[in-house]
Amino acid sequence: ETGVTQTPRHLVMGMTNKKSLKCEQHLGHNAMYWYKQSAKKPLELMFVYSLEERVENNSVPSRFSPECPNSSHLFLHLHTLQPEDSALYLCASSPDRANEKLFFGSGTQLSVL
Amino acid sequence: GENVEQHPSTLSVQEGDSAVIKCTYSDSASNYFPWYKQELGKGPQLIIDIRSNVGEKKDQRIAVTLNKTAKHFSLHITETQPEDSAVYFCAASIAGGGADGLTFGKGTHLIIQP
């Protein structure tokens, strides 16, 4: 186990649904990240939180809304998604934003119908 | 921005043989190069990394080499075993860029044939 837990593992949703992805880290880290992983493409950084403050969003569409209530928990709220948003969504943490070593969760495999 | 190219996309080797995965990067200011292994159903896991002040680093059966002049770095796995089957990702970042400065390659699917 990496110390980063993501739920649910799998999610199927319609384009009009609202759902949330959850991430929890037990490592005492101060930085958390959301990544999108699509087949045959590099990992795409979506959001960065450092000490619960969002520091970057990389021009992600507003249908993705992150929330970081404390340094151990991270959410990704989804609404009005498109089929091309189907992908594996990975949460990661690092000791702090300056530390490059990432600890990933197992991801949520999202399918948008 | 940084661009990382990774080859091959798929690599099949016989158990016991060596495997080599190569990456090139574009930004000469990059100085941190990690490798991640992603097993089926799991997230990527850091297996080895190297900084530009060294040319080679080893950890048991895996090693990474770096050629800063040519801007490429490679992952070497010797005496491959079935548990080495996975997708491997390289990445590069600039000093001070932190984790959010990492640029990843597209990945190499390594298949170990029994």
Side-chain angles (χ1 to χ4, degrees):
Chain A
E1 292 300 324
T2 63
V4 180
T5 304
Q6 288 187 246
T7 55
R9 291 297 306 271
H10 303 273
L11 179 62
V12 179
M13 60 187 290
M15 288 190 285
T16 59
N17 291 158
K18 290 184 179 181
K19 297 286 184 183
S20 296
L21 310 185
K22 179 182 175 182
C23 176
E24 183 175 1
Q25 58 99 357
H26 308 275
L27 301 169
H29 290 172
N30 290 322
M32 296 187 76
Y33 312 79
W34 279 116
Y35 281 87
K36 178 182 179 181
Q37 185 175 33
S38 304
K40 310 291 186 184
K41 295 177 72 175
L43 285 169
E44 299 174 49
L45 179 64
M46 300 176 69
F47 299 104
V48 180
Y49 276 85
S50 178
L51 295 171
E52 301 149 46
E53 288 192 17
R54 187 163 77 185
V55 296
E56 191 166 337
N57 74 350
N58 280 336
S59 302
V60 177
S62 59
R63 57 186 183 268
F64 295 92
S65 176
E67 178 189 1
C68 188
N70 55 63
S71 60
S72 298
H73 293 85
L74 186 64
F75 295 89
L76 187 62
H77 303 299
L78 317 171
H79 65 96
T80 325
L81 293 193
Q82 305 298 311
E84 59 264 29
D85 296 323
S86 298
L88 181 67
Y89 288 85
L90 291 162
C91 172
S93 69
S94 64
D96 54 61
R97 194 175 164 221
N99 192 311
E100 305 100 333
K101 297 184 192 294
L102 289 167
F103 293 75
F104 285 91
S106 295
T108 295
Q109 186 65 54
L110 174 67
S111 297
V112 182
L113 305 178
Chain B
E2 175 68 280
N3 182 48
V4 176
E5 298 286 340
Q6 183 171 348
H7 299 280
S9 57
T10 303
L11 177 61
S12 181
V13 301
Q14 289 294 124
E15 183 178 348
D17 288 351
S18 295
V20 181
I21 303 170
K22 300 180 180 181
C23 288
T24 61
Y25 61 98
S26 60
D27 193 335
S28 57
S30 290
N31 69 347
Y32 175 67
F33 308 93
W35 286 89
Y36 284 81
K37 174 184 181 183
Q38 186 173 23
E39 298 178 14
L40 192 63
K42 297 184 178 180
Q45 181 179 3
L46 180 67
I47 55 172
I48 195 167
D49 55 9
I50 191 169
R51 297 190 185 272
S52 61
N53 56 338
V54 296
E56 183 177 3
K57 183 176 179 181
K58 288 184 179 180
D59 183 3
Q60 300 182 333
R61 295 187 296 108
I62 61 173
V64 57
T65 58
L66 171 64
N67 183 326
K68 284 224 75 178
T69 303
K71 290 191 283 189
H72 68 71
F73 55 111
S74 300
L75 178 71
H76 304 254
I77 305 174
T78 59
E79 301 173 19
T80 53
Q81 300 171 4
E83 55 264 36
D84 296 328
S85 293
V87 179
Y88 292 81
F89 295 92
C90 64
S93 72
I94 299 171
D100 43 308
L102 284 169
T103 299
F104 287 87
K106 292 183 179 181
T108 295
H109 185 192
L110 176 62
I111 301 166
I112 307 301
Q113 301 280 3

